[in-house]
Amino acid sequence: MTRYFRAVSILWVILRYGLDELVLTSFNRPVLSRLARIVSFGRRLDAPRGQRLREALQALGPIFVKFGQVLSTRRDLMPTDIADELAKLQDRVPPFPSVVAIATIERAFRRPLGELFETFEHEPVASASIAQVHFATLRDRSGQVREVAVKVLRPGMLPVIEKDLSLMRMMAGWVESLSEDGRRLKPREVVGEFDKYLHDELDLVREAANAAQLRRNMLGLNLVLIPEMYWDLCQPEVIVMERMNGVPISQAERLRAAGVDIPQLARDGVTIFFTQVFRDGFFHADMHPGNILVSIEPGSFGRYISLDFGIIGTLTEHDKEYLAQNFTAFFRRDYKRVAELHLESGWVPADTRVDELEGAIRTVCEPYFDRPLKEISLGMVLMRLFQTSRRFHVEIQPQLVLLQKTLLNIEGLGRDLDPELDLWATAKPFLERWMVDQVGPQKLLEELRDQGPRYAKLLPELPRLLHQYLQQRQGDTRRELQELMAEQRRTNRLLQGLIYGGIGFALGLVVMQVVVRVRLF
């Protein structure tokens, strides 16, 4: 019964914000659009469609807000105006009561709050759709008092999520069956992708593990700080991490007043991103300004501080090579190579004509070269390439869509800090160096180093394995020869039978003729 009440409330929000009109309009029949506007009392039909969708998702609650955030990343599927509006959805939602947070913490660790922390701030410092954060202090094993941040999962999330996801799947099926535009947007696939992201974020230990991996990867770069996790106090519902102090990156004037080199900060952000993508294949995929601070502490002045590691992107070596070669070929205007890369990746049908795909890519990319390189958006280039690929019946890999969304975030952030930022000038040397590293002697040495222990173990066994192989081949050859000889003997017997039978048949004819002649005479 609760599910039906929820369905009714969702339907009411859909009607109130005129989302039914958006669906009917997609049929391209004015009469249907006018039909949706007949009943306008209490309905908000004058605002742009993207704004109405965003406000409707906010009215439906935290799960739908998170869905809108994920939906905004699918710029390869969504119309630009809707994607831009959904990108405005904020992580800040009303917090849940601190007594509920404390109860969750005590249940997770089976200890009173006073035994876990020296102090605990009841007022949350941040509240998002999945969890909220409280500041606290604790005494570590050496007896020192440490400042920490405690992230607590919203209570009762899983049942609510499962219920709302079930309804989303049902509505996605409706949208997909109603119009061609609905099918093109692939709403069921988007809901499935959202399902995966959401269930990953519900396990805070996964987020802690992501943070630990990024922290290890970034140690030698000296450009970004990532909080250390207190693993003794990490559970699926609660994680405790080092408290990070910094200025939000969106407060550029405050950073300038503190003496931070803003243009260098913008370049450092690009370096961090491309290092995570092309060196590690493991990147922070939710790098909006709310998740980025800048340190003004003397020991780490001007360094980035990354927060919230619930969404992480990963790339295989094949993905990295594909992206690096695409970017390099694009800026050399080698559109044939870009087309060949699409074919080599297996993302377009094998019978696709290279010249046709090359022409489509040239049409998309050539206009970018009428403007200075600093005005070229790599994120937009990647998105347009994805859109062109879709015309040729290719399904873009989800990890690349996530990368494109993050690249757009980085570009927007970098150019907000420094409008003169030449993203390509910053990225090109990195990409070219990465390409050289993939085929140079350093790569060979790394492969030998990585595979050395395996080869060292295999080498002493090589003579025995070779002997076994030769014996097996000898046995197989002998067995094959025996089978061949047996088959030859069967063939010989068959031929002999045919010959003897033919001779017998001929003799029989001769005897019959002799008998007939004897009777005649």
Side-chain angles (χ1 to χ4, degrees):
M1 185 63 68
T2 305
R3 176 180 172 181
Y4 293 109
F5 281 132
R6 180 59 170 161
V8 170
S9 67
I10 292 174
L11 180 60
W12 162 244
V13 172
I14 289 173
L15 294 174
R16 180 186 174 194
Y17 288 92
L19 301 188
D20 56 319
E21 184 212 2
L22 301 184
V23 175
L24 293 174
T25 302
S26 67
F27 286 101
N28 295 320
R29 295 182 181 177
V31 64
L32 294 177
S33 180
R34 288 196 295 270
L35 180 64
R37 285 182 171 267
I38 290 177
V39 181
S40 59
F41 180 76
R43 284 156 58 85
R44 307 184 62 177
L45 302 179
D46 296 329
R49 61 179 184 174
Q51 179 182 337
R52 279 187 276 154
L53 179 58
R54 173 176 59 80
E55 292 176 350
L57 293 174
Q58 288 175 326
L60 287 170
I63 301 304
F64 283 83
V65 169
K66 176 61 72 174
F67 177 66
Q69 293 168 356
V70 173
L71 200 64
S72 70
T73 69
R74 295 309 306 264
R75 288 178 174 268
D76 60 322
L77 300 177
M78 301 297 297
T80 302
D81 61 319
I82 291 180
D84 288 343
E85 192 66 36
L86 293 181
K88 297 178 182 178
L89 287 170
Q90 300 297 313
D91 285 337
R92 185 87 189 180
V93 296
F96 55 90
S98 60
V99 293
V100 176
I102 292 171
T104 302
I105 295 169
E106 293 181 337
R107 181 178 66 253
F109 300 117
R110 299 179 182 178
R111 294 166 61 188
L113 190 72
E115 293 183 9
L116 295 167
F117 304 105
E118 294 289 312
T119 62
F120 184 87
E121 296 183 13
H122 288 237
E123 188 69 23
V125 67
S127 178
S129 54
I130 298 297
Q132 69 185 32
V133 178
H134 296 258
F135 285 154
T137 61
L138 57 77
R139 194 172 297 276
D140 64 14
R141 293 179 178 179
S142 65
Q144 292 185 321
V145 175
R146 303 286 186 184
E147 292 184 335
V148 296
V150 184
K151 188 167 187 176
V152 187
L153 194 69
R154 281 184 175 270
M157 288 292 290
L158 188 58
V160 174
I161 285 172
E162 295 296 349
K163 189 191 310 174
D164 282 351
L165 282 173
S166 175
L167 292 171
M168 285 180 183
R169 294 187 193 99
M170 180 176 65
M171 289 188 292
W174 291 346
V175 171
E176 201 166 272
S177 63
L178 285 174
S179 71
E180 184 64 31
D181 274 348
R183 286 188 290 275
R184 183 181 64 81
L185 295 177
K186 302 177 183 176
R188 284 189 290 187
E189 290 186 18
V190 173
V191 172
E193 191 174 321
F194 173 61
D195 187 347
K196 176 183 178 299
Y197 287 148
L198 201 53
H199 279 88
D200 284 351
E201 286 193 80
L202 284 178
D203 184 357
L204 295 185
V205 174
R206 178 186 289 269
E207 177 178 342
N210 290 339
Q213 182 66 54
L214 275 176
R215 182 181 169 88
R216 282 195 300 274
N217 291 349
M218 295 289 100
L219 274 179
L221 198 61
N222 295 323
L223 294 178
V224 60
L225 302 173
I226 295 169
E228 181 182 2
M229 295 292 151
Y230 289 81
W231 287 107
D232 292 342
L233 297 174
C234 286
Q235 293 290 332
E237 291 182 290
V238 183
I239 56 175
V240 178
M241 68 192 81
E242 174 187 5
R243 176 176 172 176
M244 309 301 289
N245 296 303
V247 177
I249 198 167
S250 56
Q251 299 181 11
E253 291 303 321
R254 184 179 168 189
L255 291 172
R256 284 192 184 91
V260 175
D261 184 343
I262 299 299
Q264 183 61 47
L265 189 68
R267 292 191 294 272
D268 287 347
V270 176
T271 301
I272 292 168
F273 174 72
F274 277 93
T275 300
Q276 291 181 0
V277 170
F278 289 104
R279 189 192 71 183
D280 304 326
F282 190 87
F283 61 95
H284 193 309
D286 199 16
M287 295 184 70
H288 60 76
N291 286 338
I292 302 174
L293 307 177
V294 179
S295 174
I296 56 175
E297 300 291 329
S300 55
F301 186 81
R303 291 167 69 177
Y304 279 80
I305 298 172
S306 289
L307 304 172
D308 195 348
F309 310 95
I311 302 179
I312 291 290
T314 58
L315 298 174
T316 65
E317 291 298 320
H318 176 75
D319 292 333
K320 292 190 291 184
E321 183 176 354
Y322 165 80
L323 288 167
Q325 291 194 38
N326 257 301
F327 283 144
T328 304
F330 166 75
F331 281 100
R332 292 175 179 169
R333 302 196 192 192
D334 187 354
Y335 304 120
K336 183 178 181 180
R337 181 57 185 153
V338 176
E340 290 171 346
L341 286 166
H342 278 66
L343 281 168
E344 290 170 9
S345 69
W347 294 345
V348 293
D351 58 354
T352 301
R353 288 182 54 178
V354 173
D355 58 332
E356 290 182 356
L357 184 56
E358 177 188 357
I361 293 171
R362 180 183 295 107
T363 302
V364 167
C365 297
E366 191 63 27
Y368 282 96
F369 288 97
D370 290 335
R371 60 186 83 171
L373 280 177
K374 69 179 182 181
E375 296 180 11
I376 296 176
S377 165
L378 293 185
M380 291 302 297
V381 169
L382 192 59
M383 183 175 71
R384 296 295 298 275
L385 286 174
F386 288 173
Q387 290 172 338
T388 300
S389 298
R390 190 170 68 249
R391 285 177 47 202
F392 285 83
H393 310 292
V394 59
E395 294 294 332
I396 298 301
Q397 302 298 311
Q399 70 272 21
L400 297 186
V401 177
L402 198 59
L403 172 71
Q404 175 255 320
K405 168 255 186 184
T406 310
L407 183 52
L408 284 171
N409 286 346
I410 291 294
E411 284 189 321
L413 180 64
R415 286 180 173 146
D416 284 345
L417 293 171
D418 179 15
E420 297 299 312
L421 174 68
D422 188 338
L423 190 69
W424 176 239
T426 307
K428 183 180 177 182
F430 193 98
L431 292 175
E432 291 179 339
R433 184 169 61 252
W434 183 87
M435 292 292 290
V436 170
D437 289 344
Q438 296 309 295
V439 297
Q442 185 65 32
K443 182 67 174 180
L444 176 61
L445 291 175
E446 289 178 1
E447 290 290 333
L448 290 174
R449 181 194 63 195
D450 293 340
Q451 299 295 331
R454 180 184 174 193
Y455 293 147
K457 182 179 179 181
L458 182 62
L459 193 59
E461 299 180 6
L462 193 58
R464 178 179 58 82
L465 294 173
L466 181 60
H467 179 67
Q468 288 179 350
Y469 173 77
L470 292 175
Q471 280 188 326
Q472 181 180 358
R473 287 299 303 160
Q474 185 179 5
D476 291 343
T477 302
R478 187 182 297 112
R479 185 164 52 254
E480 290 171 1
L481 182 61
Q482 290 174 349
E483 291 176 357
L484 183 61
M485 293 177 65
E487 183 66 27
Q488 185 176 8
R489 285 194 293 270
R490 286 194 294 271
T491 303
N492 289 339
R493 286 196 296 269
L494 177 61
L495 290 174
Q496 289 174 358
L498 290 174
I499 291 171
Y500 293 153
I503 293 174
F505 181 72
L507 289 174
L509 289 177
V510 171
V511 171
M512 289 178 63
Q513 289 178 357
V514 170
V515 170
V516 169
R517 288 179 180 181
V518 169
R519 288 181 178 179
L520 288 174
F521 292 104

